[in-house]
Amino acid sequence: DAMVIQNPRYQVTQFGKPVTLSCSQTLNHNVMYWYQQKSSQAPKLLFHYYDKDFNNEADTPDNFQSRRPNTSFCFLDIRSPGLGDAAMYLCATSSLGTAGETQYFGPGTRLLVL
Amino acid sequence: DQQVKQNSPSLSVQEGRISILNCDYTNSMFDYFLWYKKYPAEGPTFLISISSIKDKNEDGRFTVFLNKSAKHLSLHIVPSQPGDSAVYFCVGGKNYQLIWGAGTKLIIKP
């Protein structure tokens, strides 16, 4: 089945220790997104790639970086995690031109910062 | 500035009855709206969409109504089932960017 996969599902890191979260997709979608979600709040968009073009949201901290080496994979790098970065990180994809522009989400990675 | 507002943080409905989730928006530029459903510890799942040129879209037990003059949309679930208990997000879309509401937690009582 075509899907969005996120690894790991749970990640524990130490304060200030760099961490990388990964996302892969078999949908061959040209747009990939990273969201941060805390508690039961709405997901907050951090950035997205339209093909190889990187688009950063204005309020995304510099501590958050992303890489998309190819269509299938996208990585979220947190250079120096703080306690406030503990959250669920969601990867999503969409295919530009699809009516409704539905985004398909992975299961998320829950990050815990000690 | 919240462009998409879900004013009810939670809603409790008896199993078998109709669930109505409401959403208001301030941005007239949205091209479409989406409803997502989210279970704990899972990513959001797309439920149903509606184009801004339509006023109703139906898919099985789920119907979304759009009132453009009032800038209001609602999701109707009938009949409500226990598996419908989840957080529902109302989302406005323009091109491929989404603006999310804060969500409404729906609880279906047996």
Side-chain angles (χ1 to χ4, degrees), chain A residues 9-10 31 33 35 37 40-43 45 48 50 55 57 88 90 94 96 100-108, chain B residues 32-34 36 38 40-47 49-50 87 89 93-103 105:
Chain A
R9 293 293 309 275
Y10 299 91
V31 191
Y33 311 78
Y35 288 87
Q37 185 179 29
S40 298
Q41 298 175 17
L45 182 64
H48 72 274
Y50 176 59
N55 299 272
E57 293 300 299
M88 173 76 87
L90 296 163
S94 70
L96 198 64
E101 303 299 353
T102 304
Q103 291 187 10
Y104 295 87
F105 284 81
Chain B
Y32 57 93
F33 298 89
L34 309 166
Y36 277 86
K38 186 180 185 303
E42 293 184 14
T45 303
F46 168 72
L47 194 58
S49 66
I50 187 167
V87 177
F89 290 99
K94 175 72 178 174
N95 295 324
Y96 55 90
Q97 302 224 41
L98 303 183
I99 305 295
W100 293 69
K105 183 176 183 179

Side-chain angles (χ1 to χ4, degrees), chain B residues 46-48 57-64:
Chain B
F46 168 72
L47 194 58
I48 191 168
N57 187 27
E58 189 173 353
D59 183 3
R61 296 187 297 115
F62 303 92
T63 303
V64 57

Side-chain angles (χ1 to χ4, degrees), chain A residues 2-57:
Chain A
M3 55 198 311
V4 181
I5 303 160
Q6 289 188 247
N7 286 305
R9 293 293 309 275
Y10 299 91
Q11 176 73 57
V12 181
T13 191
Q14 290 180 328
F15 183 93
K17 185 176 181 180
V19 66
T20 295
L21 310 181
S22 71
C23 176
S24 63
Q25 54 134 338
T26 60
L27 298 160
N28 203 33
H29 285 169
N30 51 1
V31 191
M32 292 188 78
Y33 311 78
W34 278 105
Y35 288 87
Q36 178 192 66
Q37 185 179 29
K38 294 186 176 182
S39 300
S40 298
Q41 298 175 17
K44 178 182 180 300
L45 182 64
L46 296 173
F47 24 61
H48 72 274
Y49 276 93
Y50 176 59
D51 290 328
K52 291 186 178 181
D53 293 332
F54 177 71
N55 299 272
N56 201 30
E57 293 300 299

Side-chain angles (χ1 to χ4, degrees), chain B residues 14-53:
Chain B
Q14 200 76 34
E15 181 180 357
R17 299 289 185 100
I18 183 171
S19 294
I20 300 175
L21 295 103
N22 293 304
C23 177
D24 298 298
Y25 61 95
T26 58
N27 188 342
S28 301
M29 302 300 291
F30 288 129
D31 294 325
Y32 57 93
F33 298 89
L34 309 166
W35 283 93
Y36 277 86
K37 175 180 178 180
K38 186 180 185 303
Y39 293 118
E42 293 184 14
T45 303
F46 168 72
L47 194 58
I48 191 168
S49 66
I50 187 167
S51 166
S52 61
I53 62 173

